Amino acid sequence: MAEKVDRRVRKTKAQLRAGLARLMQKKSIKEITVKELVEEVDINRSTFYLHYTDIYQMLESIEGELMDEVSHLVDDYPLDPINNKESSYPFIEQIFTILDNNKDICIALLGKNGDMAFVSRIEKLIAETVLHRLSSRMPKDNRDIEYAYAFCLNGCVGMIKTWLSSDNQESTQHMAELTHKLIDNTTHMYLEQALK
């Protein structure tokens, strides 16, 4: 019986999430009401309030789940871009898998009505890991690695936005390989120059 209830809860939350993603592609979160969302997904307001207190808490919950997934990735796939060039590929592939599995809400979060604060938190989480490892190999007074990292990161965000909104979306593996090559070429070329 509990399994049936859990499945129903998951289904309801998935409907609400898909509805919120659709609405966020049209308007800002400030403009979306509970009434509008429940009408979008054809459920009762009382059902919404069983799971969330308001739209903001719902979005916070969704973002928290995505943040947890990325945090686990950071823990599960330790990056060592200097000693092991291939260490970043499984991490990048898993990032694209998360994006693909959460495509609707990721398009909304990265879109014009999205939550750039959330994107910044994800970027910061990854930067704390990658930049720490890269900067430990650099002379203390050299901040260029931060600029090289920002260049790669912003390029990746642009690629992700283009990929998510593409009608003929390439596979997660293809995008991971492309991203890995671009980052690898940029960082290693830079590091070779900086460490001479």
Side-chain angles (χ1 to χ4, degrees):
M1 181 65 179
E3 188 180 319
K4 192 175 182 182
V5 172
D6 287 345
R7 196 173 15 201
R8 220 175 333 180
V9 167
R10 281 195 307 272
K11 184 179 177 198
T12 300
K13 284 186 170 185
Q15 285 177 285
L16 287 166
R17 181 177 156 142
L20 183 64
R22 286 192 299 274
L23 291 172
M24 282 180 70
Q25 289 178 42
K26 299 175 199 162
K27 54 174 70 176
S28 99
I29 192 76
K30 292 180 224 159
E31 300 170 296
I32 299 169
T33 64
V34 172
K35 181 180 186 293
E36 184 177 23
L37 176 58
V38 297
E39 285 175 0
E40 174 77 19
V41 297
D42 195 27
I43 65 168
N44 295 322
R45 282 173 70 111
S46 58
T47 304
F48 174 90
Y49 288 116
L50 282 174
H51 306 291
Y52 306 107
T53 55
D54 58 27
I55 294 289
Y56 295 104
Q57 192 264 326
M58 179 186 171
L59 182 61
E60 189 179 304
S61 173
I62 292 167
E63 290 177 348
E65 290 169 14
L66 287 171
M67 194 75 172
D68 286 347
E69 282 191 67
V70 175
S71 294
H72 290 304
L73 269 188
V74 169
D75 294 339
D76 293 346
Y77 295 92
L79 300 172
D80 187 359
I82 293 177
N83 295 321
N84 181 1
K85 290 185 353 173
E86 296 307 311
S87 73
S88 60
Y89 179 79
F91 176 80
I92 293 168
E93 186 176 26
Q94 288 302 312
I95 287 282
F96 276 99
T97 299
I98 289 171
L99 291 166
D100 194 41
N101 291 341
N102 298 281
K103 183 179 179 180
D104 58 345
I105 199 68
C106 288
I107 288 171
L109 289 170
L110 291 168
K112 64 179 178 156
N113 298 312
D115 185 357
M116 287 301 108
F118 170 71
V119 175
S120 295
R121 287 199 317 272
I122 296 280
E123 289 174 352
K124 185 176 181 223
L125 172 70
I126 297 170
E128 285 169 355
T129 306
V130 176
L131 273 179
H132 173 70
R133 292 205 173 107
L134 291 175
S135 61
S136 68
R137 305 293 179 128
M138 301 295 294
K140 295 292 179 222
D141 60 345
N142 189 335
R143 291 193 51 226
D144 286 353
I145 192 67
E146 291 178 36
Y147 298 118
Y149 176 80
F151 176 80
C152 289
L153 185 65
N154 286 297
C156 287
V157 170
M159 278 178 55
I160 288 166
K161 285 181 178 180
T162 302
W163 176 67
L164 285 172
S165 59
S166 169
D167 290 335
N168 299 325
Q169 197 178 65
E170 287 78 10
S171 71
T172 55
Q173 292 81 12
H174 174 81
M175 292 308 295
E177 286 168 17
L178 178 61
T179 304
H180 184 260
K181 275 185 216 162
L182 291 169
I183 291 173
D184 189 52
N185 290 342
T186 303
T187 54
H188 284 85
M189 184 176 65
Y190 168 75
L191 286 170
E192 283 172 18
Q193 294 297 316
L195 295 172
K196 279 184 180 178

